[in-house]
Amino acid sequence: MGSILFDSRASEVFHSLVDDRLELALAAWETLSSALAGLLLSFIVGTVFSVALSSSDLARRAFYPYAVFFQTVPIISIAPLL
């Protein structure tokens, strides 16, 4: 018995790519737009956060320890806490 992943011939895969090109293009556009929106949001939040930390002593004292913590601990160990 063959694997499900390898039961198709290359020509079938190519024909599927051609036949479903509109659906694949829409899915690619949705993925790209979501990624760009996330990048833009992270840029805005990061810029605001950095300006707040650099201009306000109260914000620096309140959030700087967390910023140092998030930079020193691997993200894989923090992810379940978020």
Side-chain angles (χ1 to χ4, degrees):
M1 271 189 130
S3 170
I4 292 175
L5 294 176
F6 299 110
D7 278 347
S8 300
R9 287 191 232 126
S11 61
E12 291 175 347
V13 173
F14 178 74
H15 287 295
S16 176
L17 287 173
V18 171
D19 293 341
D20 298 330
R21 66 186 177 271
L22 181 60
E23 184 178 351
L24 292 171
L26 291 174
W29 173 250
E30 185 174 340
T31 301
L32 179 63
S33 62
S34 295
L36 290 176
L39 180 64
L40 180 64
L41 182 64
S42 67
F43 177 76
I44 292 170
V45 169
T47 302
V48 168
F49 189 70
S50 65
V51 168
L53 279 180
S54 65
S55 62
S56 170
D57 191 44
L58 178 64
R60 186 179 304 119
R61 284 187 280 135
F63 294 110
Y64 190 72
Y66 297 109
V68 171
F69 172 75
F70 284 127
Q71 286 180 343
T72 58
V73 178
I75 191 66
I76 195 72
S77 63
I78 299 172
L81 301 175
L82 301 176

